[in-house]
């Protein structure tokens, strides 16, 4: 079916595609950043356990480094993308699962999309590579440090192994969920991405589903669900998976609605506005407005109507 893309969408829209439909128009629009949420933060935590060394291209023992560093380009891409969702345009990057017991965190730094292009991701420097994989430290680092008092935050955590402290992570996250339910803490989402053959998907699903049946809701009535998970299989696939998470599932504003240019509601998002919007407009519509708590943004689409 006929489709046209807008040449200069209004921020925060990244891409706006207009399709001709049987009843008028269909729109698919991506939101590239969190609209007007002050003090929004993002973070990326990369596994630095010993089993990850080949992915960083680390030379082990007498053997020459057999592989290129596949972590670095992917980490840079993900960090740059996440930086767009932060109020200050920077993402907090850390290594986790460092030190023999796997409990240490090493800060890499907060970088903008431009800065991170030259940041080396070659593994931890201050701590040895970890022998265990403890997930609680990066979760606590985000919750209590990087994302402390933030109204909106998203942390992506990459792992290649079995998590050794799952029960601790779940009980800690239940406390976070209770803080969200009482209004002490606002929106925080964590995404666990598994890479390689050693990942335990059952564990990841257990985390992902931990709030099912808890009936925990925010003061505004939105169900609380801190975790999401994806399996990448291999590092290169991580980018595709990452964009999918950020696209389909990521909630950028807690609620909102789309109005057409005649003031009619085209779509309501009571449970949160996702980073990809899909909705229909009546024939003859020349634009739409996304309304959300604290503001609105209007996108004119008349430039493409002649091309459909």
């Amino acid at each position: 079916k006929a489709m046209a893309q807008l040449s200069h969408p209004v921020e925060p829209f990244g891409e706006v595609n207009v399709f001709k439909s049987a009843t008028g128009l269909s729109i698919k629009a991506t939101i590239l950043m969190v609209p007007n949420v002050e003090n929004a933060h993002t973070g990326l935590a990369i596994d630095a356990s010993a089993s990850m060394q080949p992915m960083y291209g680390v030379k082990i023992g007498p053997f020459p480094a057999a592989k290129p560093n596949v972590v670095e380009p992917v980490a840079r891409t993900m960090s740059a993308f996440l930086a767009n969702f932060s109020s200050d345009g920077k993402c907090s990057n850390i290594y986790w699962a460092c030190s023999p017991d796997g409990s240490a965190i090493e800060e890499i730094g907060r970088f903008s999309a431009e800065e991170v292009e030259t940041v080396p991701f070659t593994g931890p420097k201050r701590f040895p590579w970890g022998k265990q994989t403890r997930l609680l430290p990066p979760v606590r680092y985000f919750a209590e440090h990087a994302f402390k008092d933030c109204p909106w935050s998203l942390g992506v955590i990459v792992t290649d192994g079995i998590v050794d402290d799952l029960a601790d992570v779940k009980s800690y996250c239940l406390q976070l969920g209770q803080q969200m339910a009482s209004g002490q803490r606002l929106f925080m989402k964590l995404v666990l991405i598994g890479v390689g053959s050693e990942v335990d998907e059952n564990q990841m699903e257990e985390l992902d589903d931990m709030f099912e049946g808890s009936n925990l809701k925010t003061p505004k009535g939105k169900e609380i669900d801190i975790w999401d998970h994806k399996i990448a299989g291999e590092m290169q696939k991580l980018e595709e998976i990452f964009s999918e998470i950020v696209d389909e599932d990521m909630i950028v504003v807690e609620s909102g609605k789309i109005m057409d240019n005649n003031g009619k509601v085209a779509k309501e998002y009571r449970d949160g506005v996702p980073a990809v919007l899909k909705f229909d407009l009546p024939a003859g519509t020349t634009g739409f407005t996304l309304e959300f708590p604290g503001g609105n943004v209007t996108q004119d689409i008349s430039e493409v109507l002649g091309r459909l």
Side-chain angles (χ1 to χ4, degrees):
K1 53 183 181 178
M3 188 274 280
Q5 192 172 326
L6 294 187
S7 51
H8 295 293
V10 179
E11 273 195 10
F13 296 116
E15 197 177 285
V16 178
N17 294 310
V18 183
F19 301 85
K20 209 169 177 121
S21 73
T23 53
L25 303 170
S26 287
I27 306 286
K28 182 180 179 188
T30 58
I31 297 181
L32 259 193
M33 60 195 82
V34 180
N36 299 1
V37 175
E38 276 186 47
N39 199 18
H41 262 61
T42 54
L44 175 63
I46 306 169
D47 194 328
S49 55
S51 54
M52 284 284 289
Q53 285 173 300
M55 289 194 205
Y56 287 90
V58 171
K59 182 176 176 327
I60 300 169
F63 308 105
K67 294 193 168 117
N69 181 344
V70 291
V71 174
E72 188 170 84
V74 173
R76 284 173 176 171
T77 301
M78 289 171 60
S79 183
F81 197 91
L82 283 166
N84 286 333
F85 286 90
S86 273
S87 298
D88 65 354
K90 295 188 177 198
C91 172
S92 300
N93 304 277
I94 60 171
Y95 294 120
W96 67 285
C98 307
S99 82
D101 69 352
S103 68
I105 296 288
E106 184 170 316
E107 291 178 336
I108 305 166
R110 273 180 72 68
F111 304 110
S112 69
E114 291 72 38
E115 290 164 346
V116 84
E117 282 308 307
T118 56
V119 173
F121 286 87
T122 51
K125 296 283 166 284
R126 288 183 293 122
F127 293 99
W129 300 84
K131 301 272 194 295
Q132 286 183 295
T133 303
R134 294 193 187 275
L135 182 58
L136 187 57
V139 171
R140 287 187 70 146
Y141 174 86
F142 285 147
E144 296 171 24
H145 182 71
F147 303 160
K148 192 179 185 313
D149 304 326
C150 289
W152 190 100
S153 53
L154 170 74
V156 174
I157 302 173
V158 178
T159 184
D160 79 329
I162 291 168
V163 173
D164 291 305
D165 59 351
L166 192 67
D168 294 345
V169 173
K170 284 172 69 175
S171 62
Y172 180 79
C173 289
L174 198 56
Q175 291 171 4
L176 292 180
Q178 283 157 348
Q179 289 170 15
M180 288 179 189
S182 66
Q184 291 165 270
R185 185 178 272 283
L186 295 166
F187 180 88
M188 180 169 103
K189 190 82 183 167
L190 297 174
V191 183
L192 190 60
I193 305 186
V195 189
S197 58
E198 300 298 306
V199 170
D200 182 343
E201 189 165 14
N202 289 335
Q203 274 195 333
M204 297 175 95
E205 281 169 0
E206 201 180 311
L207 260 190
D208 202 332
D209 300 340
M210 69 169 281
F211 286 96
E212 277 183 22
S214 72
N215 293 323
L216 281 180
K217 290 189 168 71
T218 67
K220 292 195 171 148
K222 185 166 163 31
E223 283 190 10
I224 289 168
D225 182 19
I226 293 176
W227 286 100
D228 234 328
H229 87 284
K230 298 278 177 190
I231 300 287
E234 54 189 271
M235 203 72 189
Q236 282 82 351
K237 295 260 164 60
L238 226 159
E239 290 178 47
E240 301 158 32
I241 281 196
F242 177 67
S243 59
E244 179 190 314
I245 291 167
V246 170
D247 284 0
E248 302 300 334
D249 303 336
M250 191 161 133
I251 298 299
V252 293
V253 198
E254 64 195 31
S255 64
K257 58 184 171 187
I258 300 280
M259 316 286 285
D260 67 22
N261 58 295
N262 299 315
K264 290 207 169 66
V265 177
K267 183 144 190 176
E268 271 202 78
Y269 295 99
R270 288 196 181 87
D271 276 337
V273 179
V276 175
L277 305 172
K278 295 173 185 161
F279 55 90
D280 295 317
L281 296 171
T285 308
T286 58
F288 61 88
T289 298
L290 168 62
E291 293 186 356
F292 51 90
N296 63 72
V297 57
T298 298
Q299 176 65 64
D300 189 305
I301 59 169
S302 52
E303 59 154 308
V304 299
L305 297 179
R307 287 190 265 149
L308 288 172

